Amino acid sequence: MFERLYRRLLRAYPAEFREEYEAEMLQTYRDRATDEPAPHLWADLALDLIRTAPKEQFAVLLNDIRYAFRMMRKAPLFASSVILTVALGIGATTAIFTVVNAVILRPLPFKDPDRLIQVAEKNDKLHLPNFTASVLNYLSWKEQQRSFEELGAIGNASEVFSGRGEPEQFNGSPISPSVMRILGLKPIVGREFQDGEDKPNAAHVVMLDEGVWRSRFGGDASIIGQTRNVNGVPTEIIGVAPAALKVMTNSDVFVPLTIDPGREFRLNHVILVIGRLKPGVTRQQAQAEMDAISRGVGQQYPEVKDWGISLVTFYDTFVTPQLQTALLVLLASVGFVLLIACANIANLLLARAVARQREIAVRTAMGASRSRLLRQMLAESMTFAVIGGGIGTALAFAAVRAINVGLPPNVLPIPQVTIDGTVLAFAGLATIGTGVLFGVIPAYRLANADLNETLKSVGRAVSGSRPVVRNTLAAAELALATLLLIGAGLLVQTLLQLERVHLGFDPHNVVTFQLSPPQSRYDTPKAVALYRRVLDTIREVPGVKSAGISSAIPFGAGAYTRTPTTTDNPTAVPPGTAIPIDWRIVSPDYFKTMGMTLIRGRLFTDNDGPTAQQVMIVSHETAMRFWGSDDVIGRTIRPVARTTQYTIVGVVSDVRHTNLNQEFPAMYYPSAGRLWPSMDVAVRVDGAADAVLTAIRQKIHDIDPELPLANVRPMEEWVAASAAQPRLNALLIALFAGVALLLSALGIYGVIAYSVSQRTRELGLRMALGAQRSEVVGLVVREGMTVGSVGVAIGVVLALALSRVLSSIVFGVDVRDPKTFVSVTLTLIAVALMACALPARRASRVDPMVALREE
């Protein structure tokens, strides 16, 4: 019994070691077992096994690796092609996984992120499942809730730093003092906001984002305690917030969120509310409590009776279903390319294995075991994989740097992606898996080759068996390539549809920038006068055709909102129905500057101020929603949150404001009566914009030296940025599909070329017996096209089965679009045919006498 156990332990040594020393070691064990106590003997044997077995295994592995390098030196072109293919596959896969890991898998940079919740408002009647919150509702929730440790609110604003050098505008976020505590963040230097600093009469303080502190202020800790003019008010810099806070807010500076309940109203949804669940409280329990609170608030304030509360996890807040689908599709796509590469390498190794059959047969005849040969072949393929994986990982580092530099802003919910331990572990596992995947089949077939049959073939070419495995791998390559090409075709069509979509305005030759007059120096009447002067001055600049302002230009960074709106006039919808409508504040010349069409009625004038009749311009879609084809001029419309009735004086063309694939109804207020703290200025120019912008900067500086121009960009850039994610999706998948198509074509070519080389005698005999060259060509082409057709057919079936996965990221095209499926099928059939053409041509030129001379 104990000797049998010892025999099993000896299996920890390599087979070669056991063949040479096993008998001697067993005899030594028997001799010692009769004289030594069992505990002492087994302790000594175990220690010897632990000390020597790994060394022997490593020695054998080292020999296998040396042998692999010798084989590489014998075939450098073959080795280079395999290593390069692995490197590109591993590099691309690791780079895409880095993004997936950073966005989907890596925990958010907050303390216990699974307990963090966005407390959003919802309105089922208006089909608003996740909306920003009302300030007054937020205060009611804070008073009544018991499920959260704390609630906090985040607003949106622009903060102008001035008084030292040129003024500079930053993206800002007013935040509750509780926000840092909720997120579990601590300042890098200085302190955070304290309770009470959000009161209306509190001292003015500001925190800087870590990135701005390092880039704009040189990371100087002595800036803490200094005073800067922020929005025209002396403000103390009290701390530097970690970069994680910017992940939450996308802001560069932070000020306390000051709440004056007397100036708020219930239906003004302008803040993001977050909270941290108490230990032991589930989201479902908190949702039940917040539902009860919402019903109570609705009973107390009837204007919000249709508004409920939706608790959204931070994961769902940051990672939308569309983004998650897009990233997983990209990861699957690059994974398919890696699989195709593995199949190609496996085919190369299978072809190479035939040439090495005699070598392996001789080694087997000299005593090498099949397990030893199998291990040596796997060690060779793993050496290829490890070298290629190392190069691929280096390529992934370079690709990630390129992603961080070149990725359009706001495509990902994080500032940058980084390679961490998880990514390196993935790269290592992918490398090992790749080596096993492309090496195991050739190694197994080579190690199990028929010894007698191979040795009989000395003096003539070694004939291979029927290439079932090679044909299967080639068909699998084409199936995956078909799947990728169909996906790429659908996404490219989506991109084309988005680029052809009717915007409702003309973005060409329009430049935009943002102004934020400090409210401490510019109340509403003064701000109205300032903007009129600014626009009048801009129009005097040579090259300017027109200029206007808006609270939010299409696809821009300005403030925009949507509000439920109704009308007391007879409508095409049931009486009292509220429709969510986007609203903007615009100047009279805004529509002309943006190239929007006046369909009926009139545009605003400077006389449409607060003391005149309250008027509004609506989009064509808004008019159609409420009144169908009836004339709407003179009818009234009213936001549910207000009691004021606005008379419609004009109807303008529909505009896509926030999404290229969505068009919402819109309404416009005149800027003479109200303004947003930050307003976008649009300027239509005639010719180059740079010289015009220089003159505009100087004109505005002359009006107010402390008023900076922010977010200066051509309108075309804003439009292009709105299509950044679909453009990136289409570009990457098209790139992967192109690589897959090339590899698949090479795979088909390799299979057919290999088959022709192995069937030279057969083809020569056929031609000697009278077969025509055209018949030989047809024979070879039929063999290749059978493989190609089966692969393409499987790919089409897979694409049909998986097409719904793309439904959330395509626009304007059916996910089972017949044109795409047919065109991809025909393209792949044509590629397969071309891949078969060259081997078929070579087969038709076989000289029967030369081919048969070897027999």
Side-chain angles (χ1 to χ4, degrees):
M1 171 183 174
F2 289 110
E3 183 174 331
R4 189 181 303 115
L5 175 62
Y6 185 60
R7 285 178 181 272
R8 291 180 179 177
L9 291 176
L10 290 178
R11 293 178 184 175
Y13 290 96
E16 298 89 336
F17 183 90
R18 294 200 307 272
E19 290 172 4
E20 186 170 354
Y21 297 108
E22 184 175 23
E24 180 181 340
M25 294 175 75
L26 284 172
Q27 185 58 50
T28 301
Y29 165 78
R30 297 186 190 105
D31 295 342
R32 295 181 62 183
T34 58
D35 300 330
E36 297 183 33
H40 179 271
L41 173 62
W42 281 100
D44 189 49
L45 292 175
L47 182 63
D48 181 65
L49 184 74
I50 293 171
R51 186 173 60 249
T52 59
K55 292 182 180 179
E56 296 299 331
Q57 291 284 7
F58 180 75
V60 172
L61 177 62
L62 196 59
N63 286 333
D64 289 341
I65 293 174
R66 291 194 185 103
Y67 179 79
F69 277 103
R70 288 199 299 271
M71 297 305 296
M72 288 182 192
R73 286 196 295 270
K74 285 185 177 181
L77 185 61
F78 171 83
S80 299
S81 62
V82 171
I83 289 172
L84 181 60
T85 302
V86 173
L88 292 175
I90 294 294
T93 306
T94 303
I96 297 298
F97 179 78
T98 302
V99 180
V100 172
N101 175 62
V103 176
I104 297 178
L105 302 180
R106 186 186 299 166
L108 293 168
F110 311 122
K111 179 183 177 183
D112 300 328
D114 55 316
R115 290 167 53 201
L116 295 175
I117 296 290
Q118 178 194 350
V119 186
E121 295 205 48
K122 65 176 182 177
N123 191 313
D124 296 334
K125 290 185 177 180
L126 299 178
H127 306 290
L128 299 174
N130 184 358
F131 207 64
T132 50
S134 155
V135 172
L136 293 182
N137 283 348
Y138 159 69
L139 295 178
S140 297
W141 302 341
K142 284 185 66 176
E143 293 175 359
Q144 301 178 46
Q145 69 84 22
R146 297 294 180 269
S147 297
F148 296 91
E149 292 180 354
E150 282 189 285
L151 292 181
I154 300 171
N156 181 54
S158 293
E159 312 296 341
V160 177
F161 278 53
S162 62
R164 299 193 183 185
E166 288 296 318
E168 190 170 2
Q169 180 175 316
F170 295 99
N171 290 330
S173 282
I175 62 174
S176 304
S178 59
V179 165
M180 292 277 283
R181 296 193 297 268
I182 291 171
L183 298 177
L185 302 177
K186 294 293 183 183
I188 295 177
V189 294
R191 66 172 179 86
E192 59 194 273
F193 298 135
Q194 297 174 350
D195 292 334
E197 289 183 329
D198 55 343
K199 301 301 180 183
N201 296 320
H204 294 276
V205 292
V206 64
M207 292 179 64
L208 305 176
D209 168 65
E210 178 183 1
V212 168
W213 175 59
R214 297 188 186 282
S215 61
R216 175 67 173 78
F217 299 97
D220 183 7
S222 66
I223 196 173
I224 304 302
Q226 294 184 16
T227 298
R228 293 287 193 277
N229 284 344
V230 179
N231 295 333
V233 177
T235 305
E236 181 186 357
I237 300 174
I238 62 167
V240 176
L245 187 56
K246 185 169 183 176
V247 173
M248 184 71 229
T249 61
N250 195 32
S251 295
D252 298 318
V253 296
F254 309 94
V255 296
L257 176 64
T258 301
I259 296 178
D260 185 354
R263 303 181 63 179
E264 299 289 342
F265 55 96
R266 288 274 163 186
L267 284 171
N268 190 22
H269 296 83
V270 294
I271 58 172
L272 175 73
V273 177
I274 62 172
R276 176 176 291 276
L277 290 172
K278 290 181 177 179
V281 177
T282 66
R283 183 163 66 97
Q284 291 73 21
Q285 292 171 332
Q287 182 69 68
E289 183 196 40
M290 298 305 288
D291 287 342
I293 292 174
S294 176
R295 287 191 296 268
V297 172
Q299 292 173 0
Q300 187 176 0
Y301 305 99
E303 65 268 29
V304 296
K305 61 182 176 61
D306 293 330
W307 289 88
I309 297 175
S310 174
L311 300 186
V312 185
T313 66
F314 260 36
Y315 179 86
D316 292 332
T317 297
F318 283 92
V319 184
T320 64
Q322 292 82 1
L323 176 60
Q324 184 174 3
T325 299
L327 289 177
L328 293 180
V329 166
L330 288 176
L331 184 61
S333 300
V334 74
F336 289 162
V337 173
L338 184 59
L339 288 176
I340 292 172
C342 288
N344 240 349
I345 296 171
N347 265 332
L348 286 174
L349 291 175
L350 281 170
R352 189 165 177 256
V354 174
R356 296 179 61 186
Q357 281 184 358
R358 293 176 186 169
E359 169 205 339
I360 300 302
V362 171
R363 294 178 62 189
T364 304
M366 295 178 65
S369 65
R370 290 188 173 181
S371 62
R372 178 72 184 89
L373 293 172
L374 178 63
R375 186 172 66 182
Q376 188 175 76
M377 297 301 104
L378 281 176
E380 187 175 341
S381 66
M382 288 303 301
T383 303
F384 283 127
V386 169
I387 296 174
I391 298 173
T393 302
L395 292 175
F397 274 96
V400 168
R401 283 195 294 269
I403 288 172
N404 287 327
V405 172
L407 197 66
N410 301 324
V411 170
L412 299 178
I414 54 177
Q416 65 177 7
V417 296
T418 56
I419 293 180
D420 58 9
T422 301
V423 174
L424 293 176
F426 171 84
L429 290 175
T431 298
I432 295 171
T434 298
V436 172
L437 196 60
F438 70 67
V440 67
I441 295 177
Y444 179 81
R445 288 173 64 85
L446 192 57
N448 287 276
D450 190 302
L451 172 63
N452 295 325
E453 186 65 28
T454 303
L455 292 177
K456 287 178 186 177
S457 66
V458 175
R460 57 188 176 88
V462 182
S463 60
S465 58
R466 292 182 63 83
V468 176
V469 176
R470 291 173 57 82
N471 287 346
T472 301
L473 290 172
E477 290 182 51
L478 272 174
L480 293 175
T482 303
L483 190 59
L484 275 178
L485 278 172
I486 289 174
L490 293 173
L491 291 178
V492 168
Q493 287 192 70
T494 291
L495 180 60
L496 293 176
Q497 291 287 342
L498 290 174
E499 291 182 344
R500 288 196 295 259
V501 73
H502 179 64
L503 298 173
F505 65 94
D506 180 12
H508 305 293
N509 298 321
V510 175
V511 293
T512 66
F513 56 88
Q514 192 175 76
L515 295 178
S516 300
Q519 291 178 296
S520 61
R521 294 193 291 117
Y522 292 97
D523 57 16
T524 300
K526 289 181 179 179
V528 169
L530 170 69
Y531 280 114
R532 284 183 180 174
R533 184 179 175 190
V534 165
L535 292 178
D536 289 341
T537 303
I538 289 175
R539 295 186 190 107
E540 296 173 356
V541 174
V544 172
K545 300 176 71 174
S546 63
I549 62 171
S550 173
S551 57
I553 56 172
F555 310 109
Y560 64 89
T561 188
R562 189 175 309 157
T563 185
T565 305
T566 187
T567 178
D568 295 332
N569 304 136
T571 65
V573 295
T577 299
I579 298 175
I581 299 180
D582 286 348
W583 60 268
R584 305 289 187 274
I585 303 168
V586 301
S587 65
D589 275 356
Y590 172 77
F591 301 103
K592 174 185 175 182
T593 302
M594 296 300 294
M596 297 170 62
T597 303
L598 176 66
I599 298 175
R600 63 171 62 92
R602 68 171 178 87
L603 299 178
F604 294 136
T605 69
D606 288 337
N607 294 324
D608 292 319
T611 60
Q613 180 187 26
Q614 298 299 293
V615 297
M616 181 179 288
I617 292 174
V618 299
S619 67
H620 178 260
E621 177 66 18
T622 301
M624 291 296 295
R625 290 277 188 98
F626 279 116
W627 296 283
S629 58
D630 293 347
D631 185 11
V632 302
I633 302 302
R635 305 212 180 192
T636 58
I637 196 169
R638 177 178 59 84
V640 173
R642 297 177 177 272
T643 58
T644 305
Q645 296 278 354
Y646 292 85
T647 301
I648 297 174
V649 297
V651 179
V652 295
S653 56
D654 293 320
V655 169
R656 295 179 186 266
H657 275 113
T658 56
N659 292 290
L660 284 172
N661 59 353
Q662 287 181 307
E663 189 173 69
F664 294 106
M667 57 188 184
Y668 303 89
Y669 296 99
S671 61
R674 59 190 302 192
L675 289 173
W676 202 258
S678 295
M679 298 291 288
D680 289 317
V681 181
V683 183
R684 182 167 293 278
V685 300
D686 185 9
D690 291 342
V692 173
L693 279 172
T694 301
I696 289 174
R697 286 182 189 276
Q698 185 58 50
K699 294 284 188 181
I700 294 177
H701 184 272
D702 292 341
I703 294 173
D704 186 341
E706 295 189 359
L707 194 60
L709 277 64
N711 294 321
V712 181
R713 295 175 71 178
M715 192 66 231
E716 289 175 292
E717 284 190 15
W718 291 113
V719 176
S722 65
Q725 184 170 321
R727 185 181 295 110
L728 186 64
N729 294 341
L731 175 64
L732 289 178
I733 293 189
L735 176 63
F736 298 152
V739 173
L741 181 61
L742 176 61
L743 290 175
S744 301
L746 291 174
I748 288 287
Y749 169 80
V751 166
I752 302 305
Y754 169 79
S755 176
V756 168
S757 68
Q758 294 302 302
R759 297 172 63 186
T760 300
R761 293 189 304 279
E762 173 200 337
L763 297 175
L765 181 60
R766 284 175 180 270
M767 297 181 70
L769 294 175
Q772 298 297 314
R773 292 183 184 274
S774 60
E775 293 175 333
V776 172
V777 170
L779 178 68
V780 174
V781 170
R782 278 196 301 276
E783 178 182 340
M785 292 309 296
T786 299
V787 175
S789 300
V790 170
V792 172
I794 294 173
V796 169
V797 172
L798 287 175
L800 287 170
L802 299 175
S803 59
R804 292 190 179 277
V805 174
L806 296 176
S807 60
S808 65
I809 57 175
V810 299
F811 166 72
V813 59
D814 184 3
V815 290
R816 296 185 176 183
D817 177 46
K819 292 181 180 179
T820 302
F821 277 75
V822 170
S823 60
V824 168
T825 300
L826 294 177
T827 298
L828 283 164
I829 292 295
V831 168
L833 187 60
M834 287 188 289
C836 297
L838 186 58
R841 185 167 175 267
R842 284 170 48 194
S844 68
R845 294 185 175 184
V846 170
D847 188 329
M849 298 304 296
V850 173
L852 296 176
R853 190 177 297 151
E854 297 181 12
E855 294 294 329

